[in-house]
Amino acid sequence: MFKPEPSNYLLLADISNESKPTNFWNNHVWTAEELGLKITPGSSETKLYFHKIKPAGLVSWIKKFIFYRTSHNAFSTVAGDLKGIKAFGLFLSKSLPNLININQINEEIITNYYLYLRQQNYQPGLIKKYLLALKIFLDTGNGQNWFNIPCQFISNWIRTADKEIKQIPKFIPDDILRQLNQHFEFLPDPVQRMVLVIQECGLRVSELVSLKFNCLQQDSTGGWFLNFIRSKIKKEDVIPISNELAGVIKAQQDYIRNVFAKKYQYLFCGSERYFKKREVHDFIAKPQIMPSQRFNDYLNWLSKKFNICDSSGVIWHFHSHQFRHTVGTRMINNNVPHHIIQRYLGHSSPTMTSVYAYIMDTTLKKEINDYHNKVVNIAGEVIKSKFPELDNSTDLQWMKKQILGEVLPNGYCALPADFTCSKGNACLQCGDFRTSLEFLDKHKKQRERTLQVLKAAKANNWQRQVQINEEVLKSLNNIINELEQD
Ligand code: SF4
């Protein structure tokens, strides 16, 4: 059984009848594995540490509480609880070193703790986390009849912290992004690519660091999609991405293949070394997922080195989640409908999902179905995607149109992601051009114009013009004939 420290004996919890063996309770380090909990990808925390808890007698209560929490919560949640309750212990040991019984904790002590947190000039977010952890600890103990300590009033302070949090902008202002993009070439290449992915897609950092090597998918029009696991709901999802970003991901795939051949299954990796003499040292790839915090460290290193400051001259502190808010804010400013933003960012709200489903079913489904009925190239050949589910997903195609817009006025460009067009946009003579039924009228009008131009070119004996326009006419005939077959 857990060994008490005599001076704090009355503060001890009875943990002798719990299901784990004595050495488990005596141990001051618990691993996620022995608790049967999974670690979120990219998380560097895999253990819970109990050594430095003060007052020492509080350790048994915290262990009892944390063990109780592990039965219903993720490891990261429990680790957060532990940090919060440790902060309370630190306060108790400083302000009430002689406290010997947990039931001595009362409203006055808890109020003093709140005032202490505020005096530390902590961010409202941190204050809220600490208060929540304490409230959960006390609610659990009261509910389980471990002790009886009033704690309802803590909710008011949590609400106050919440209001303060809402007043702090969570997105990254344009000026900060401009400064980031101005200097980000000083980051290692793989980290630069991580920044580009998170800037466009607003992934959670755990989703970013654990992207699979084969995360790119393409529909029949050549549009690119990112496939990944939503870390909160542990489900696979797909979102449309720009051609430029697909190019960035291809470059990262080449990097990973060059470094690890086929032995590594993720798109991004960690580095052997990180900082040397306060500089970001060369990135020495190691076949492991990068810890989430390391990604923030890179950005904050850049922020300090190049003095990336907000409008009041304060150095900007990056946090990966700010990119998520930035993407959401940018979409709202670009008038992307609310339900599309929810779908894109993977917010799980049944109400919003049903609104979305209603709109899709009643007004847009037909349009989208027509649009993806058939995709052809300039030879009139029907193009099939390796991922037909992308073509057939009304949701995804609608989202792609909403977010990325149309690339060409009469169709799509299926140029590989790491190439730029060098054909002077002569799409109707290009093997990478794709089009579909929704552009049929445009093709017919262009055929009429081409016939007129061809007639004039022939009359004037403009050989080059005749040749070009005959090629264009041939492509248009192929396209129109194939599309009209339906
Ligand atoms: S010419 Fe070809 S590569 Fe260039 S934009 Fe048109 S379809 Fe794409």
Side-chain angles (χ1 to χ4, degrees):
M1 201 183 100
F2 178 73
K3 290 198 183 88
E5 290 206 0
S7 60
N8 287 308
Y9 188 76
L10 288 175
L11 202 59
L12 288 175
D14 174 14
I15 48 178
S16 57
N17 59 353
E18 298 286 359
S19 55
K20 291 275 183 188
T22 307
N23 62 349
F24 171 80
W25 294 106
N26 284 337
N27 201 346
H28 278 354
V29 183
W30 291 356
T31 63
E33 200 181 359
E34 67 187 320
L35 291 165
L37 298 177
K38 285 199 177 136
I39 304 291
T40 314
S43 170
S44 52
E45 287 184 316
T46 58
K47 294 175 183 166
L48 301 173
Y49 296 94
F50 296 91
H51 337 71
K52 291 184 182 166
I53 293 178
K54 293 176 181 175
L58 198 63
V59 177
S60 57
W61 286 111
I62 295 182
K63 283 186 173 176
K64 191 179 173 96
F65 165 65
I66 291 295
F67 186 68
Y68 179 86
R69 293 279 288 163
T70 56
S71 57
H72 295 98
N73 294 282
F75 182 81
S76 54
T77 308
V78 177
D81 290 344
L82 181 57
K83 274 183 206 151
I85 209 72
K86 274 181 175 177
F88 180 60
L90 187 67
F91 161 78
L92 285 182
S93 67
K94 278 185 190 168
S95 58
L96 295 158
N98 299 322
L99 187 85
I100 57 166
N101 189 320
I102 193 135
N103 280 306
Q104 284 176 276
I105 297 172
N106 56 24
E107 184 166 350
E108 187 186 343
I109 293 175
I110 297 171
T111 306
N112 286 338
Y113 174 55
Y114 175 58
L115 297 173
Y116 159 83
L117 289 179
R118 300 217 64 116
Q119 278 163 6
Q120 304 306 304
N121 278 335
Y122 290 148
Q123 292 283 328
L126 189 62
I127 293 179
K128 181 184 166 188
K129 272 187 195 163
Y130 284 175
L131 290 174
L132 262 178
L134 178 62
K135 176 92 168 51
I136 295 168
F137 172 60
L138 297 177
D139 276 342
T140 306
N142 290 335
Q144 297 296 313
N145 291 324
W146 299 343
F147 45 67
N148 184 12
I149 302 171
C151 63
Q152 300 77 355
F153 47 87
I154 298 178
S155 304
N156 292 334
W157 302 330
I158 293 173
R159 275 194 286 279
T160 306
D162 244 344
K163 275 186 205 152
E164 289 169 2
I165 291 168
K166 281 184 189 135
Q167 284 163 11
I168 301 172
K170 290 185 187 146
F171 62 89
I172 307 173
D174 283 350
D175 186 44
I176 299 289
L177 279 179
R178 187 189 51 71
Q179 295 178 64
L180 168 66
N181 292 331
Q182 192 180 339
H183 301 297
F184 100 142
E185 66 187 89
F186 290 92
L187 292 171
D189 288 352
V191 182
Q192 288 182 29
R193 295 185 197 114
M194 294 174 96
V195 174
L196 292 172
V197 173
I198 203 169
Q199 268 199 50
E200 176 168 324
C201 303
L203 298 183
R204 294 180 179 92
V205 69
S206 54
E207 295 162 351
L208 174 75
V209 294
S210 60
L211 279 174
K212 288 279 163 55
F213 180 85
N214 291 322
C215 57
L216 272 185
Q217 296 182 345
Q218 201 173 23
D219 69 8
S220 58
T221 66
W224 290 100
F225 293 79
L226 186 74
N227 180 301
F228 63 103
I229 305 287
R230 291 266 181 219
S231 58
K232 274 218 159 163
I233 49 172
K234 311 265 181 300
K235 270 177 83 177
E236 205 172 320
D237 203 357
V238 184
I239 54 171
I241 56 169
S242 66
N243 268 21
E244 291 75 18
L245 192 66
V248 168
I249 291 174
K250 288 217 160 178
Q252 178 63 18
Q253 286 174 330
D254 291 345
Y255 172 86
I256 291 289
R257 279 292 169 259
N258 282 339
V259 179
F260 302 124
K262 290 193 174 169
K263 290 181 200 136
Y264 186 65
Q265 55 170 327
Y266 295 96
L267 182 66
F268 295 112
C269 63
S271 169
E272 294 287 352
R273 275 181 284 178
Y274 174 43
F275 286 112
K276 193 177 178 190
K277 293 182 186 162
R278 300 185 145 266
E279 292 292 323
V280 173
H281 200 254
D282 286 343
F283 192 91
I284 302 170
K286 70 171 174 185
Q288 264 178 19
I289 288 179
M290 179 185 285
S292 306
Q293 186 51 41
R294 181 62 48 83
F295 177 68
N296 290 330
D297 291 343
Y298 276 115
L299 293 175
N300 288 315
W301 167 84
L302 196 74
S303 194
K304 275 198 191 124
K305 183 168 175 69
F306 294 99
N307 222 16
I308 297 180
C309 290
D310 64 16
S311 51
S312 53
V314 176
I315 295 210
W316 185 263
H317 186 78
F318 283 100
H319 190 284
S320 54
H321 215 70
Q322 293 162 342
F323 289 97
R324 202 165 160 72
H325 289 284
T326 310
V327 168
T329 309
R330 188 173 64 220
M331 285 180 164
I332 286 174
N333 290 341
N334 287 341
N335 297 323
V336 176
H338 199 78
H339 52 275
I340 297 286
I341 301 173
Q342 279 214 315
R343 168 68 182 79
Y344 188 84
L345 293 176
H347 293 152
S348 51
S349 159
T351 326
M352 289 315 295
T353 310
S354 61
V355 170
Y356 175 43
Y358 172 77
I359 295 173
M360 292 305 300
D361 285 340
T362 52
T363 61
L364 297 163
K365 210 163 190 169
K366 187 179 176 305
E367 183 200 334
I368 299 292
N369 280 347
D370 287 352
Y371 147 66
H372 256 274
N373 223 354
K374 184 189 270 183
V375 175
V376 299
N377 64 11
I378 56 166
E381 294 161 342
V382 178
I383 304 296
K384 297 275 177 218
S385 164
K386 276 194 239 159
F387 301 95
E389 63 278 12
L390 296 178
D391 286 17
N392 297 334
S393 166
T394 316
D395 292 14
L396 280 176
Q397 292 300 335
W398 166 239
M399 194 156 63
K400 184 175 107 175
K401 277 188 115 182
Q402 286 284 310
I403 290 165
L404 302 177
E406 282 159 13
V407 181
L408 300 172
N410 53 352
Y412 303 90
C413 173
L415 189 68
D418 35 3
F419 289 83
T420 44
C421 175
S422 58
K423 298 167 191 165
N425 292 72
C427 300
L428 283 165
Q429 296 159 277
C430 173
D432 288 315
F433 180 67
R434 305 279 183 272
T435 190
S436 58
L437 264 182
E438 64 177 327
F439 300 106
L440 185 58
D441 281 349
K442 286 188 179 171
H443 295 311
K444 285 183 173 175
K445 280 183 188 145
Q446 187 169 1
R447 182 164 64 179
E448 280 167 29
R449 283 198 305 274
T450 307
L451 283 168
Q452 285 166 9
V453 173
L454 199 54
K455 196 172 161 193
K458 280 180 179 169
N460 290 295
N461 205 17
W462 294 333
Q463 290 302 322
R464 180 80 187 120
Q465 284 292 322
V466 171
Q467 189 196 347
I468 291 172
N469 282 287
E470 278 183 338
E471 281 176 25
V472 169
L473 184 64
K474 187 175 164 202
S475 298
L476 286 167
N477 284 334
N478 289 338
I479 290 168
I480 293 166
N481 289 345
E482 183 56 43
L483 291 179
E484 278 192 334
Q485 274 196 25
D486 287 340

mmCIF file of all heavy atoms in Angstrom, residues 321-339:
data_model
loop_
_atom_site.group_PDB
_atom_site.id
_atom_site.type_symbol
_atom_site.label_atom_id
_atom_site.label_comp_id
_atom_site.label_asym_id
_atom_site.label_seq_id
_atom_site.Cartn_x
_atom_site.Cartn_y
_atom_site.Cartn_z
ATOM 1 N N HIS A 321 -2.987 25.641 -32.939
ATOM 2 C CA HIS A 321 -4.447 25.728 -33.079
ATOM 3 C C HIS A 321 -4.883 27.073 -33.660
ATOM 4 O O HIS A 321 -5.985 27.196 -34.214
ATOM 5 C CB HIS A 321 -5.111 25.501 -31.714
ATOM 6 C CG HIS A 321 -6.405 24.764 -31.839
ATOM 7 N ND1 HIS A 321 -6.494 23.442 -32.200
ATOM 8 C CD2 HIS A 321 -7.687 25.184 -31.676
ATOM 9 C CE1 HIS A 321 -7.763 23.087 -32.244
ATOM 10 N NE2 HIS A 321 -8.503 24.119 -31.940
ATOM 11 N N GLN A 322 -4.013 28.083 -33.563
ATOM 12 C CA GLN A 322 -4.368 29.395 -34.132
ATOM 13 C C GLN A 322 -4.591 29.287 -35.651
ATOM 14 O O GLN A 322 -5.385 30.026 -36.223
ATOM 15 C CB GLN A 322 -3.244 30.403 -33.873
ATOM 16 C CG GLN A 322 -3.057 30.755 -32.404
ATOM 17 C CD GLN A 322 -1.701 31.387 -32.153
ATOM 18 O OE1 GLN A 322 -0.776 31.278 -32.949
ATOM 19 N NE2 GLN A 322 -1.577 32.049 -31.011
ATOM 20 N N PHE A 323 -3.878 28.366 -36.297
ATOM 21 C CA PHE A 323 -4.051 28.219 -37.746
ATOM 22 C C PHE A 323 -5.463 27.740 -38.071
ATOM 23 O O PHE A 323 -6.038 28.098 -39.089
ATOM 24 C CB PHE A 323 -3.019 27.233 -38.310
ATOM 25 C CG PHE A 323 -1.626 27.798 -38.317
ATOM 26 C CD1 PHE A 323 -0.745 27.502 -37.301
ATOM 27 C CD2 PHE A 323 -1.202 28.639 -39.338
ATOM 28 C CE1 PHE A 323 0.535 28.022 -37.297
ATOM 29 C CE2 PHE A 323 0.077 29.170 -39.340
ATOM 30 C CZ PHE A 323 0.943 28.862 -38.321
ATOM 31 N N ARG A 324 -5.983 26.905 -37.190
ATOM 32 C CA ARG A 324 -7.345 26.385 -37.383
ATOM 33 C C ARG A 324 -8.358 27.531 -37.322
ATOM 34 O O ARG A 324 -9.241 27.653 -38.153
ATOM 35 C CB ARG A 324 -7.596 25.378 -36.267
ATOM 36 C CG ARG A 324 -8.641 24.400 -36.535
ATOM 37 C CD ARG A 324 -8.543 23.252 -35.555
ATOM 38 N NE ARG A 324 -9.810 22.555 -35.523
ATOM 39 C CZ ARG A 324 -10.258 21.786 -36.486
ATOM 40 N NH1 ARG A 324 -9.525 21.600 -37.562
ATOM 41 N NH2 ARG A 324 -11.426 21.212 -36.414
ATOM 42 N N HIS A 325 -8.183 28.395 -36.330
ATOM 43 C CA HIS A 325 -9.073 29.558 -36.215
ATOM 44 C C HIS A 325 -8.876 30.497 -37.406
ATOM 45 O O HIS A 325 -9.822 31.114 -37.882
ATOM 46 C CB HIS A 325 -8.797 30.308 -34.916
ATOM 47 C CG HIS A 325 -9.257 29.551 -33.704
ATOM 48 N ND1 HIS A 325 -10.581 29.458 -33.343
ATOM 49 C CD2 HIS A 325 -8.574 28.825 -32.793
ATOM 50 C CE1 HIS A 325 -10.695 28.712 -32.259
ATOM 51 N NE2 HIS A 325 -9.491 28.308 -31.897
ATOM 52 N N THR A 326 -7.655 30.600 -37.868
ATOM 53 C CA THR A 326 -7.371 31.501 -38.995
ATOM 54 C C THR A 326 -8.081 31.017 -40.255
ATOM 55 O O THR A 326 -8.682 31.806 -40.995
ATOM 56 C CB THR A 326 -5.843 31.577 -39.243
ATOM 57 O OG1 THR A 326 -5.212 31.853 -38.001
ATOM 58 C CG2 THR A 326 -5.487 32.650 -40.245
ATOM 59 N N VAL A 327 -8.036 29.703 -40.483
ATOM 60 C CA VAL A 327 -8.706 29.149 -41.668
ATOM 61 C C VAL A 327 -10.218 29.386 -41.560
ATOM 62 O O VAL A 327 -10.855 29.838 -42.519
ATOM 63 C CB VAL A 327 -8.389 27.628 -41.799
ATOM 64 C CG1 VAL A 327 -9.293 26.974 -42.827
ATOM 65 C CG2 VAL A 327 -6.928 27.441 -42.183
ATOM 66 N N GLY A 328 -10.787 29.128 -40.375
ATOM 67 C CA GLY A 328 -12.223 29.340 -40.179
ATOM 68 C C GLY A 328 -12.597 30.798 -40.407
ATOM 69 O O GLY A 328 -13.568 31.106 -41.105
ATOM 70 N N THR A 329 -11.789 31.711 -39.850
ATOM 71 C CA THR A 329 -12.070 33.148 -39.987
ATOM 72 C C THR A 329 -11.977 33.569 -41.461
ATOM 73 O O THR A 329 -12.824 34.311 -41.969
ATOM 74 C CB THR A 329 -11.057 33.960 -39.144
ATOM 75 O OG1 THR A 329 -11.035 33.433 -37.840
ATOM 76 C CG2 THR A 329 -11.412 35.431 -39.106
ATOM 77 N N ARG A 330 -10.954 33.060 -42.141
ATOM 78 C CA ARG A 330 -10.781 33.424 -43.553
ATOM 79 C C ARG A 330 -11.984 32.948 -44.369
ATOM 80 O O ARG A 330 -12.485 33.674 -45.231
ATOM 81 C CB ARG A 330 -9.494 32.770 -44.071
ATOM 82 C CG ARG A 330 -9.083 33.213 -45.463
ATOM 83 C CD ARG A 330 -7.717 32.651 -45.832
ATOM 84 N NE ARG A 330 -7.734 31.198 -45.899
ATOM 85 C CZ ARG A 330 -6.752 30.420 -45.449
ATOM 86 N NH1 ARG A 330 -5.683 30.938 -44.887
ATOM 87 N NH2 ARG A 330 -6.817 29.119 -45.553
ATOM 88 N N MET A 331 -12.483 31.759 -44.062
ATOM 89 C CA MET A 331 -13.633 31.245 -44.818
ATOM 90 C C MET A 331 -14.864 32.100 -44.564
ATOM 91 O O MET A 331 -15.626 32.402 -45.489
ATOM 92 C CB MET A 331 -13.912 29.804 -44.396
ATOM 93 C CG MET A 331 -12.922 28.823 -44.965
ATOM 94 S SD MET A 331 -13.343 27.181 -44.404
ATOM 95 C CE MET A 331 -12.400 26.212 -45.529
ATOM 96 N N ILE A 332 -15.067 32.486 -43.312
ATOM 97 C CA ILE A 332 -16.232 33.338 -43.006
ATOM 98 C C ILE A 332 -16.119 34.651 -43.782
ATOM 99 O O ILE A 332 -17.068 35.107 -44.412
ATOM 100 C CB ILE A 332 -16.317 33.597 -41.484
ATOM 101 C CG1 ILE A 332 -16.811 32.333 -40.797
ATOM 102 C CG2 ILE A 332 -17.244 34.778 -41.162
ATOM 103 C CD1 ILE A 332 -16.825 32.380 -39.303
ATOM 104 N N ASN A 333 -14.917 35.228 -43.777
ATOM 105 C CA ASN A 333 -14.717 36.490 -44.498
ATOM 106 C C ASN A 333 -14.916 36.330 -46.003
ATOM 107 O O ASN A 333 -15.244 37.281 -46.696
ATOM 108 C CB ASN A 333 -13.324 37.048 -44.219
ATOM 109 C CG ASN A 333 -13.218 37.536 -42.788
ATOM 110 O OD1 ASN A 333 -14.231 37.780 -42.136
ATOM 111 N ND2 ASN A 333 -12.003 37.648 -42.285
ATOM 112 N N ASN A 334 -14.685 35.114 -46.504
ATOM 113 C CA ASN A 334 -14.883 34.865 -47.941
ATOM 114 C C ASN A 334 -16.289 34.364 -48.249
ATOM 115 O O ASN A 334 -16.545 33.825 -49.327
ATOM 116 C CB ASN A 334 -13.864 33.837 -48.444
ATOM 117 C CG ASN A 334 -12.482 34.441 -48.535
ATOM 118 O OD1 ASN A 334 -12.321 35.658 -48.569
ATOM 119 N ND2 ASN A 334 -11.467 33.601 -48.544
ATOM 120 N N ASN A 335 -17.178 34.512 -47.258
ATOM 121 C CA ASN A 335 -18.588 34.135 -47.433
ATOM 122 C C ASN A 335 -18.810 32.665 -47.721
ATOM 123 O O ASN A 335 -19.786 32.291 -48.374
ATOM 124 C CB ASN A 335 -19.255 34.971 -48.547
ATOM 125 C CG ASN A 335 -19.269 36.424 -48.190
ATOM 126 O OD1 ASN A 335 -19.458 36.764 -47.021
ATOM 127 N ND2 ASN A 335 -19.062 37.282 -49.169
ATOM 128 N N VAL A 336 -17.895 31.813 -47.279
ATOM 129 C CA VAL A 336 -18.157 30.374 -47.404
ATOM 130 C C VAL A 336 -19.273 30.043 -46.408
ATOM 131 O O VAL A 336 -19.216 30.465 -45.252
ATOM 132 C CB VAL A 336 -16.886 29.554 -47.068
ATOM 133 C CG1 VAL A 336 -17.180 28.055 -47.103
ATOM 134 C CG2 VAL A 336 -15.771 29.903 -48.053
ATOM 135 N N PRO A 337 -20.309 29.327 -46.852
ATOM 136 C CA PRO A 337 -21.424 29.053 -45.933
ATOM 137 C C PRO A 337 -20.953 28.339 -44.670
ATOM 138 O O PRO A 337 -20.024 27.533 -44.700
ATOM 139 C CB PRO A 337 -22.352 28.152 -46.760
ATOM 140 C CG PRO A 337 -21.974 28.404 -48.165
ATOM 141 C CD PRO A 337 -20.522 28.759 -48.176
ATOM 142 N N HIS A 338 -21.677 28.633 -43.606
ATOM 143 C CA HIS A 338 -21.303 28.141 -42.277
ATOM 144 C C HIS A 338 -21.204 26.614 -42.227
ATOM 145 O O HIS A 338 -20.276 26.052 -41.648
ATOM 146 C CB HIS A 338 -22.364 28.623 -41.283
ATOM 147 C CG HIS A 338 -21.896 28.598 -39.880
ATOM 148 N ND1 HIS A 338 -21.061 29.555 -39.357
ATOM 149 C CD2 HIS A 338 -22.126 27.705 -38.897
ATOM 150 C CE1 HIS A 338 -20.808 29.253 -38.100
ATOM 151 N NE2 HIS A 338 -21.425 28.136 -37.791
ATOM 152 N N HIS A 339 -22.166 25.966 -42.892
ATOM 153 C CA HIS A 339 -22.176 24.495 -42.817
ATOM 154 C C HIS A 339 -20.986 23.889 -43.560
ATOM 155 O O HIS A 339 -20.502 22.822 -43.213
ATOM 156 C CB HIS A 339 -23.494 23.936 -43.356
ATOM 157 C CG HIS A 339 -23.861 24.440 -44.712
ATOM 158 N ND1 HIS A 339 -24.534 25.615 -44.907
ATOM 159 C CD2 HIS A 339 -23.613 23.941 -45.923
ATOM 160 C CE1 HIS A 339 -24.709 25.802 -46.199
ATOM 161 N NE2 HIS A 339 -24.156 24.807 -46.843
#
